[in-house]
Amino acid sequence: MQSIGYGAHRADAPLQSLRFERRTPGPHDVHIDILYCGVCHSDLHTARNEWGNTVYPVVPGHEIVGRVAAVGDQVSRFKPGDIAGVGCMVDSCQHCSSCAEGLEQYCENGFVGTYNGEEMHSGGMTYGGYANNIVVNEKFVLRIPANLDPAAAAPLLCAGITTYSPLRHWKVGKGQKVGIVGLGGLGHMGIKLAHAMGAHTVLFTTSPDKREDARRLGADEVVVSRNAGEMAAHANSFDFILNTVAARHDLDAFMVLLKRDGTMTLVGAPAEPHPSPQVFNLIMKRRHLAGSLIGGIAETQEMLDFCGEHDIVSDIEMIPIQQINTAYERMLKSDVRYRFVIDMASLQNET
Ligand code: NAP
Ligand code: ZN
């Protein structure tokens, strides 16, 4: 199937308009005309080959909301006209132990990413949501609650589930003190979700001018992480810290804020490794340092339904696709309030 979108041909080239082929929709596939696609920092890491695994040309985008245009014979959960979502995965083996537990993101045979992934059945590469359409097996298509604005719901498909999954896994809730590190796309969803789960929520930021916004989003306290005095006041006090920072930084500054048996989970995936944390900061209080990858399909639907119930969406700045390269530069300066979303109607200006 013919598609038009924006992608990169080289690590050091800006994204530009390009045409490409997707697989012909099969009996289990949903053909979605894309309305909106969020801009995740992972898109930038991949477009610039910062993780060293990019196959060019790459069309990023894994926070996709669109309208179903057609469905295959065997599709039962979607019909033309439905609003549907696609997140970071479009396939997995479906028979390993992780898939059997609904943890497709940890598929023992490797899940297929929405972009820069190898198609499991038809060969070739996958291309993401900075495009007019996409073809996805119905098992990997999500329902968007009707009360949520579809553009502002798009970032839930990655930023939402990537923060929801660890908050649930480490059982965040009432009576707990929870830290969110970094107020970007993931971080602002982390605040909203931790707050909705009832935790006392503290934002750590390097940007003092985000203080007011953080409180509006649901933070009970805001700490400027470059201020040693403010940090020291929270020593040994956190049950859980979710670290969303997209750049190399000192993890010890946060480890020492955990109380006994506390956990810090890393979801930020910087290109440069962090300096190794001090072992004694783990040993002395039996603290944990952990990681977490997006979330399974069932949990992604659970998160969307939770957001529907609590009226939670992303705070977005809508851009035409022609502004994607400027948006990337602003993201690198932590100048996003708090997720860019591409309005795919702007693709109509491309020939
Ligand atoms: P983002 O919107 O750019 O937000 C990152 C935030 O980190 C910034 O807004 C900034 O917040 C803070 N930050 C940036 N540079 C910093 C530095 N040098 N020191 C300290 N803080 C810094 O990015 P995002 O889309 O939320 O993604 C965050 C990271 O998560 C990326 O690496 C992305 O690839 C990764 N990711 C992982 C998963 C997963 O499954 N694990 C899924 C999606 C994304 P302040 O201004 O508040 O300091
Ligand atoms: Zn993402």
Side-chain angles (χ1 to χ4, degrees):
M1 193 171 77
Q2 259 287 319
S3 302
I4 180 165
Y6 259 58
H9 290 281
R10 295 194 322 271
D12 58 355
L15 272 64
Q16 62 180 71
S17 173
L18 57 86
R19 287 179 183 278
F20 57 97
E21 280 287 325
R22 297 194 187 271
R23 71 165 184 260
T24 306
H28 297 281
D29 284 335
V30 182
H31 163 184
I32 299 168
D33 284 337
I34 299 176
L35 297 169
Y36 305 104
C37 185
V39 178
C40 177
H41 208 112
S42 302
D43 301 350
L44 188 159
H45 290 307
T46 305
R48 300 188 178 178
N49 197 20
E50 291 177 356
W51 295 331
N53 65 349
T54 306
V55 177
Y56 293 98
V58 65
V59 176
H62 58 204
E63 294 182 339
I64 299 166
V65 170
R67 193 178 297 282
V68 174
V71 298
D73 295 352
Q74 304 295 312
V75 170
S76 58
R77 292 169 44 243
F78 294 92
K79 59 179 189 325
D82 288 352
I83 295 291
V86 179
C88 304
M89 297 182 287
V90 289
D91 217 342
S92 71
C93 84
Q94 302 286 309
H95 56 69
C96 71
S97 55
S98 292
C99 285
E101 284 184 62
L103 298 168
E104 300 90 349
Q105 75 275 34
Y106 303 116
C107 174
E108 307 299 325
N109 297 299
F111 73 87
V112 179
T114 302
Y115 58 81
N116 199 45
E118 277 178 50
E119 291 265 17
M120 210 162 248
H121 303 293
S122 53
M125 298 298 291
T126 57
Y127 299 102
Y130 297 3
N132 61 336
N133 59 26
I134 192 162
V135 176
V136 182
N137 183 306
E138 83 163 320
K139 286 203 169 112
F140 288 81
V141 181
L142 286 309
R143 287 182 306 280
I144 308 295
N147 60 315
L148 300 183
D149 172 52
L156 302 178
L157 276 311
C158 174
I161 185 58
T162 301
T163 48
Y164 182 90
S165 183
L167 292 171
R168 280 286 189 235
H169 182 78
W170 277 277
K171 301 187 170 40
V172 160
K174 275 199 177 53
Q176 291 188 353
K177 184 174 172 186
V178 170
I180 305 290
V181 189
L183 189 53
L186 267 56
H188 94 291
M189 290 313 309
I191 292 180
K192 290 187 186 206
L193 292 168
H195 175 75
M197 291 172 189
H200 180 88
T201 306
V202 181
L203 171 73
F204 295 96
T205 181
T206 59
S207 310
D209 60 326
K210 293 181 182 171
R211 237 180 237 281
E212 289 308 306
D213 280 349
R215 287 192 170 277
R216 176 178 56 76
L217 295 165
D220 298 290
E221 298 180 64
V222 180
V223 174
V224 174
S225 54
R226 289 183 175 143
N227 181 322
E230 279 189 51
M231 292 289 275
H234 289 271
N236 304 318
S237 67
F238 281 85
D239 296 280
F240 184 73
I241 296 178
L242 184 62
N243 188 327
T244 76
V245 172
R248 174 187 163 96
H249 65 282
D250 172 26
L251 300 180
D252 281 315
F254 299 102
M255 292 307 300
V256 298
L257 305 187
L258 293 171
K259 62 187 193 192
R260 194 200 74 225
D261 289 321
T263 298
M264 176 158 80
T265 294
L266 307 178
V267 287
E272 293 285 314
H274 297 302
S276 175
Q278 288 296 325
V279 172
F280 276 95
N281 285 337
L282 298 170
I283 291 176
M284 297 308 285
K285 290 200 177 288
R286 200 164 57 185
R287 295 172 174 126
H288 306 72
L289 180 59
S292 184
L293 176 67
I294 47 175
I297 293 298
E299 193 176 43
T300 305
Q301 191 62 59
E302 177 190 307
M303 174 276 307
L304 287 165
D305 296 343
F306 178 90
C307 288
E309 276 161 40
H310 291 82
D311 250 319
I312 295 175
V313 287
S314 190
D315 282 30
I316 64 166
E317 179 177 339
M318 193 98 88
I319 56 164
I321 201 159
Q322 293 79 8
Q323 282 177 19
I324 186 64
N325 294 301
T326 318
Y328 277 10
E329 291 313 313
R330 283 183 53 195
M331 187 151 66
L332 284 173
K333 288 188 231 148
S334 303
D335 176 24
V336 190
R337 302 280 192 280
Y338 280 90
R339 198 58 140 186
F340 292 116
V341 170
I342 302 166
D343 181 355
M344 223 50 73
S346 59
L347 257 184
Q348 281 159 11
N349 303 330
E350 306 288 334
T351 49

